[in-house]
């Protein structure tokens, strides 16, 4: 009887989490794609930790689909807004926001890589911290049509969702409690985001 009662308690709790969690995850990742200040990778990893500890089938698959679809929709919308800004005589606040987050040296590297490797650069840009916006701006400046951009961005979003979901699964498998896995996954994703920037600063610091 106690086992049955526990099962009936867990099932509604998980269904409630799913009913609220997946739409929230979609909305937050979408906003993070449009406004690149939300740590979307940490959100996906945290959602994967929670899904890993759930008994409901396909929880991890739903996290993957939700995250990759939201990232793709956000990227496509931001690129469309950027193209409108490029065509407008006065620009737009969206284009200005993209430019403000793409330093000249990173933009120059993104343009070189885009010219050499084409859409493959989009996949790498999604996996490299702070790499998405410079490559997106390079695509805008190269006058890529939206159709060409989304063809390259779709596999990029899929690879991004898989990567951060695997981080969450790792965190969920190492710790018995979901909150412990969430803390570990968030710490790891933030570390991944910070280390490349620190390494660049060390390399660019003048000797002596």
């Amino acid at each position: 009887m106690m086992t049955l009662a526990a099962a009936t308690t867990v099932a509604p709790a998980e269904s409630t989490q799913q009913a609220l969690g997946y739409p929230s995850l979609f909305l937050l990742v979408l906003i993070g794609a449009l406004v690149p200040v939300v740590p979307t990778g940490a959100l996906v990893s945290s959602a994967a930790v929670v899904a890993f500890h759930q008994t409901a089938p396909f929880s991890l698959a739903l996290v993957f689909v939700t995250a990759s679809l939201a990232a793709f929709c956000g990227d496509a919308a931001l690129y469309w807004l950027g193209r409108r800004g490029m065509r407008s005589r006065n620009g737009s606040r969206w284009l200005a926001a993209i430019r403000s987050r793409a330093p000249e040296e990173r933009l120059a590297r993104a343009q070189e890589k885009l010219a050499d490797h084409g859409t493959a650069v989009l996949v790498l840009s999604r996996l490299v911290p702070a790499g998405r916006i410079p490559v997106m701006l390079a695509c805008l400046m190269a006058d890529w049509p939206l159709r060409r951009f989304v063809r390259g961005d779709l596999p990029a979003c899929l690879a991004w969702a898989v990567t951060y979901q695997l981080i969450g699964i790792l965190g969920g498998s190492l710790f018995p409690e979901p909150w412990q896995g969430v803390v570990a996954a968030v710490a790891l994703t933030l570390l991944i985001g910070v280390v490349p920037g620190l390494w660049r600063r060390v390399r660019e610091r003048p000797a002596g």
Side-chain angles (χ1 to χ4, degrees), residues 42-136:
L43 291 173
V44 175
S45 297
S46 300
V49 171
V50 175
F52 180 83
H53 285 279
Q54 289 181 341
T55 58
F58 309 118
S59 295
L60 287 170
L62 287 172
V63 169
F64 169 73
V65 171
T66 302
S68 55
L69 181 61
F72 176 73
C73 291
D75 284 358
L78 184 60
Y79 191 78
W80 179 77
L81 291 167
R83 278 184 61 82
R84 287 192 63 186
M86 293 288 286
R87 295 176 179 179
S88 173
R89 181 175 300 178
N90 298 322
S92 71
R93 64 188 183 92
W94 292 103
L95 181 60
I98 295 174
R99 288 184 181 275
S100 67
R101 300 189 66 85
E104 290 297 328
E105 63 276 8
R106 294 187 191 175
L107 176 58
R109 288 197 297 267
Q111 288 176 310
E112 292 176 3
K113 293 178 181 178
L114 191 67
D116 292 337
H117 305 289
T119 55
V121 178
L122 286 173
V123 178
L124 294 176
S125 72
R126 256 286 177 184
L127 300 178
V128 175
R132 179 176 67 102
I133 295 300
V135 171
M136 182 180 290

Side-chain angles (χ1 to χ4, degrees), residues 30-44:
L30 179 67
I31 293 173
L34 290 170
V35 185
V37 293
V38 178
T40 53
L43 291 173
V44 175

Side-chain angles (χ1 to χ4, degrees), residues 121-193:
V121 178
L122 286 173
V123 178
L124 294 176
S125 72
R126 256 286 177 184
L127 300 178
V128 175
R132 179 176 67 102
I133 295 300
V135 171
M136 182 180 290
L137 182 57
C139 293
L140 287 169
M141 296 182 70
D143 199 25
W144 277 25
L146 179 62
R147 182 179 301 179
R148 184 180 182 184
F149 175 80
V150 297
R151 279 203 305 266
D153 191 60
L154 178 58
C157 292
L158 295 176
W160 170 81
V162 166
T163 300
Y164 283 99
Q165 187 166 8
L166 288 175
I167 292 174
I169 292 173
L170 177 62
S173 64
L174 291 176
F175 298 95
E177 295 294 332
W179 70 266
Q180 295 172 325
V182 168
V183 171
V186 170
L188 183 56
T189 53
L190 293 179
L191 183 65
I192 291 172

Side-chain angles (χ1 to χ4, degrees), residues 6-17:
T8 56
T9 302
V10 170
E14 288 191 359
S15 62
T16 301
Q17 288 178 359

